[in-house]
Each structure stands twice: as structure tokens, then as C-alpha cells.
Amino acid sequence: MTTETQTASTAPAVPLPELSAELRGHVVQPGDPDYDLGRTVYNAMIDRRPAGIAYCRDVTDVRACVRFGRAHGLPIAIRGGGHSAGGLGVADDALVIDLSEMHSVTVDPDERTARVDGGCTWADVDHATIGFGLATPSGILSTTGVGGLSLGGGTGYLTRQFGLTVDNLRGADVVLADGSMVRSSETSHSDLFWALRGGGGNFGVVTSFTFDLHPIGENGTIIGGPVLYDFADTREVMRWYRELQPALPENLYGWFGLLTVPPAPPFPEDLWGRKCCGIMWSYTGRHEGAEEVLEPIRSFGSPVLNGLGPMPYTALQGAFDGLYPPGLQWYWKADVFHEISDEAIEVHCRNFERTPSGHSTMHLYPIDGAAARVPQEATAFAHRDGGWNGVIVGVDPDPARAETLSSWARTYWEELHPHSAGGAYVNFLMRDEGNDRVRAAYRDNYDRLSRVKAHYDPDNVFRINQNITPAE
């Protein structure tokens, strides 16, 4: 795997000015001053040259773009936050439907719901909801787009307590492949609603989501932060963590990581560049009595850093934004794990010892508690057996290191995969991992997804994604 290089367009000329004239937004095409900026994505290992980028301002714009793309035989790519690991928001010779100018959030604090436009990031949502002391489950970077994370499942700090992001989705407005729009929920287009909750962008363009919200902490203030241990303690820490995490109260969540301490505040200078293992904790219960809940964490081992303390939930959500800005080289490999076996721990220790860069890391995110109590067949997201959602990421700013990053991640994954559950979280898949990996992500739900795809998108218009082929 090397950085995907720029290629010349082979697409026939299309009358993009005609499309632009239909929109409240605008269209950028090759040759325009902001074209190169417009085609960039979060993962700089992806370099694509779309036929045009349509910045939509409303649902009518999105509908016009879908119809135009189909009429002119253009592949259609959908970009919300642009955080896709595989850069699925852009494609060569495609019409990119960019939703970033659709980013309003409307909170109903009485109903405890939020209506969220498809171009929002989680920073937009958290800013709007936390003022009411409310939140909905999301990821661990506030710069992540709402659309991509939600449609793939959505795991993060609130998952053990309130389930996945898709478990908190109440309804969605969707522009379909024929350019029409439907409202999807448990009572309207319920088959589509089932598929949206984990099935990715296969079924249409979601222009708005309605989420359930939950009170967290004390007026949005939680107790959280990293607890880091020396890398030499990894075996002991992982064995302790695998037993402790499932037994904790569900309002206490911790994801495990192998990392190199960043050479920047707030980390102490004597730790800069040091390999560590650690757990990022989040306690969203009442602060009175928190010390008793956190005592097993505070009393374990010999941490080199204990960063637990009160903080706004928004600070927790944005804690890693500065460490992982857009424009880095990324290569991901992922699996789901029902257990953290001794054999797997040895694989982790051996491979992270030779990590290729300070940004490269490995994370294990719990999938238990409320998320595991939802039946596998209730939503398209299938890996609800309990355990962890794991990802290995090779990351570096230097494009010349792309092959080194991807080779390290692949080798690490190949050794670890035999200890996995055999499938992965679909949002962690790279661009071209193949249909077998997509099927493994959805397990027994794949065939039903394929039938829903055939009903709503029989021509596979929405195929620049982890694609589910329409049933015949």
C-alpha cells in the first residue's frame, strides 16, 4: 500500500454549470482555484480527482445532485465530515455530494432529542446538546462526521451506558437513488430504518438525523482522562483490564490503547516520546460517590500518569483532535474481539514494540453493557456479542512513510486476526478490503441488507462505500 497518486480524469465532460445553476449551494470542478482543497480528505493517503464537488445547502440541492449524477452517468460519492478511513467521501470522476454546509442542530430538551443535519460533526452536536447537560453516544474525536459514524454503528464513551449511536437514532430524512425523499423511522419505511442503523451509506443520502439524548454527569461535567503505564507493564495491565472492564458499572467506560506519549502539553516532558499502554476513562455518573467507583482504577499498578479529573464532556470528546488533525497519512486494520487472550496480548506486545511512528497506535473499544443487550437482528450492526472493537492504525505526517505504515499495520493484523471474532466494525475498514470483509462485518444480517438494497437502490447508485450488492 502506497499513497494513492493523482490520476488524470477519464470521465466525459459533463455540464456542471447547469447543476450549479440549480443549487442554492455551488459546484467546484477541475481548474477552479479551490478544487484541490475541495477534493482533500482527512486521510492524506487518499488522493482522488472527482469530476466535481457539489456543496449542498439543503435537501433540494441534494435531490438535484442525485438526479444530475444519474442523468449524466456519474458515480456519486457522499461526504459528510470526510473522516472515512478509506476516503470514501471522494472518488475519481465522481460527483461528490458534500453536506458540510448543512450543519445545524436543533435540541428539544423536553423531549430529549436533537435533530442534526447530515453535514454536522460531533463537535457541532456536543456544542448544542451539552448546554442542556445532554448527549448521545458518538466516537472519540469531535471532528468526526455525524453521518459516517452513525450509519456504521457508532461506538464511544457512552456505549456501555446508552448503546451505540444507531441505538439512539429515532428517525432520518433520506434522499433515495431516484431523487425522492422519505422519512424513515420505526413506523415509516421501517425496513430502510433497520438498514440505516449500521448499513453505512448504501441506501441513500441521509440529510438529517433525529437522536435520543441522555443526561450525563453533572450538567455535562464528567470525570475522565487517561491513566498511562509503562509499556513494560502491558501484559499485566491488559490482563487486569480484560477482567475489570466488563464488571464495572455501565456509566464507567474505558478504552485501552498502546501509544507513544506525544511531545506536547499537557503531557509532562519526561514522558514525551515514551511508549506506554493506557486506558482513557470516562465516568458519567453523579460525582458524589465517584471515588468509590473509581477506586479499582486508582489503586491498580504503578501508573506513570494519572490524568483522571472533572472535565466538560466536550473536553473529553475533543481531547485528541489536536493530536490527529486532517492531512496525516493513515492505514487501518481492524477486527472485533470477544476476549483479550494471553496469546493476543503477546501479539500486541511484540508488534507495538516496533511501532513505525509516534502517531501510530492500537485501540480496543468496549462493546458491552447496553450495546450488547440489543439483539443482533434488531439493527444492521451485528457484532453485539460483547467484547471489544479493535483497530490498528499506522499514522504519520510524511507521505514517504505510507508503505512503512501500511506494512506494519498489515503484519500486526495478520498475527492478531486468528484471535479475533472474524469480523470488523465497518467504519474501520479501508477502501478495498473486499466483499468477504464486508460480509463478515454484517454476519447473518448481510442477506437482509442486500434485499433492502435491492428495494431502495437496485442499480447500486450508492456504491462508493463498504458496498452491499443488491439482491437479484
Side-chain angles (χ1 to χ4, degrees):
M1 174 73 186
T2 57
T3 301
E4 299 181 35
T5 56
Q6 179 173 310
T7 58
S9 173
T10 59
V14 291
L16 289 172
E18 293 182 10
L19 174 62
S20 189
E22 287 190 58
L23 307 183
R24 291 187 65 206
H26 65 287
V27 178
V28 172
Q29 58 187 318
D32 289 346
D34 47 356
Y35 174 74
D36 283 334
L37 178 62
R39 66 187 182 87
T40 59
V41 294
Y42 184 77
N43 182 359
M45 202 177 283
I46 309 299
D47 185 10
R48 302 292 187 185
R49 298 190 65 86
I53 305 156
Y55 292 91
C56 298
R57 290 191 181 178
D58 55 27
V59 174
T60 299
D61 280 4
V62 175
R63 296 177 67 194
C65 287
V66 171
R67 288 168 175 161
F68 181 90
R70 295 203 67 179
H72 293 277
L74 291 173
I76 294 174
I78 312 303
R79 185 167 65 190
H83 247 263
S84 165
L88 296 170
V90 294
D92 288 334
D93 304 326
L95 176 63
V96 174
I97 298 178
D98 186 291
L99 305 178
S100 61
E101 295 185 5
M102 300 170 61
H103 53 79
S104 69
V105 179
T106 304
V107 177
D108 185 332
D110 295 325
E111 291 292 322
R112 290 184 177 172
T113 62
R115 183 190 178 280
V116 179
D117 281 353
C120 287
T121 65
W122 286 105
D124 296 322
V125 178
D126 295 335
H127 172 77
T129 64
I130 208 65
F132 299 97
L134 302 171
T136 199
S138 58
I140 67 162
L141 286 170
S142 72
T143 55
T144 303
V146 169
L149 182 132
S150 299
L151 295 174
T155 68
Y157 293 108
L158 303 180
T159 292
R160 301 186 72 235
Q161 189 175 8
F162 300 119
L164 305 172
T165 306
V166 293
D167 300 331
N168 292 271
L169 183 62
R170 183 176 290 192
D173 293 324
V174 189
V175 175
L176 302 177
D178 62 0
S180 64
M181 194 200 83
V182 298
R183 177 68 174 169
S184 178
S185 67
E186 289 282 11
T187 57
S188 175
H189 298 278
S190 58
D191 55 342
L192 175 62
F193 186 60
W194 175 87
L196 292 175
R197 288 175 289 166
N202 274 279
F203 308 97
V205 186
V206 180
T207 57
S208 77
F209 302 82
T210 300
F211 296 109
D212 288 321
L213 302 176
H214 307 276
I216 60 166
E218 295 189 358
N219 296 317
T221 298
I222 60 95
I223 297 174
V227 179
L228 303 183
Y229 306 85
D230 189 77
F231 182 68
D233 296 335
T234 296
R235 292 172 180 84
E236 179 185 3
V237 174
M238 291 190 82
R239 292 182 183 122
W240 167 75
Y241 169 75
R242 73 186 178 189
E243 302 299 328
L244 176 71
Q245 174 68 73
L248 291 173
E250 290 179 1
N251 56 10
L252 178 56
Y253 173 102
W255 60 263
F256 179 89
L258 297 174
L259 69 150
T260 303
V261 178
F267 298 100
E269 286 191 40
D270 62 332
L271 294 182
W272 289 4
R274 182 170 173 175
K275 282 189 177 67
C276 288
C277 66
I279 303 165
M280 189 71 177
W281 293 104
S282 171
Y283 173 66
T284 55
R286 302 294 297 175
H287 293 190
E288 182 181 356
E291 286 307 309
E292 182 179 352
V293 176
L294 296 171
E295 192 279 333
I297 298 166
R298 295 196 186 277
S299 63
F300 172 77
S302 302
V304 297
L305 174 71
N306 188 331
L308 281 173
M311 66 176 70
Y313 180 69
T314 49
L316 178 73
Q317 287 286 85
F320 297 97
D321 292 355
L323 296 176
Y324 292 99
L328 301 179
Q329 305 283 311
W330 289 78
Y331 189 82
W332 303 48
K333 290 295 290 186
D335 271 319
V336 171
F337 299 88
H338 291 161
E339 62 177 354
I340 302 173
S341 67
D342 287 348
E343 294 80 5
I345 292 172
E346 292 304 316
V347 173
H348 287 301
C349 292
R350 183 167 58 250
N351 282 274
F352 199 76
E353 181 65 46
R354 56 183 185 83
T355 180
S357 71
H359 282 88
S360 297
T361 186
M362 187 285 301
H363 293 174
L364 292 168
Y365 302 102
I367 309 175
D368 64 347
R373 288 194 293 275
V374 176
Q376 176 182 318
E377 67 277 6
T379 68
F381 185 94
H383 286 279
R384 294 185 180 272
D385 307 67
W388 287 267
N389 178 16
V391 63
I392 301 158
V393 285
V395 192
D396 195 79
D398 186 0
R401 308 207 64 214
E403 177 58 36
T404 300
L405 300 173
S406 54
S407 177
W408 172 76
R410 285 198 304 268
T411 299
Y412 191 160
W413 178 84
E414 286 164 3
E415 290 190 34
L416 191 61
H417 182 65
H419 307 288
S420 74
Y425 177 36
V426 72
N427 282 351
F428 287 167
L429 297 180
M430 289 297 285
R431 194 179 194 102
D432 298 311
E433 295 202 30
N435 186 251
D436 286 347
R437 286 283 279 165
V438 176
R439 281 184 170 271
Y442 292 117
R443 305 170 84 180
D444 294 341
N445 288 340
Y446 184 90
D447 289 342
R448 181 177 173 185
L449 283 164
S450 184
R451 293 192 296 272
V452 177
K453 176 77 168 180
H455 181 72
Y456 287 97
D457 185 16
D459 299 321
N460 206 9
V461 171
F462 302 114
R463 60 184 179 274
I464 302 174
N465 46 43
Q466 303 301 345
N467 194 233
I468 297 163
T469 55
E472 297 181 358

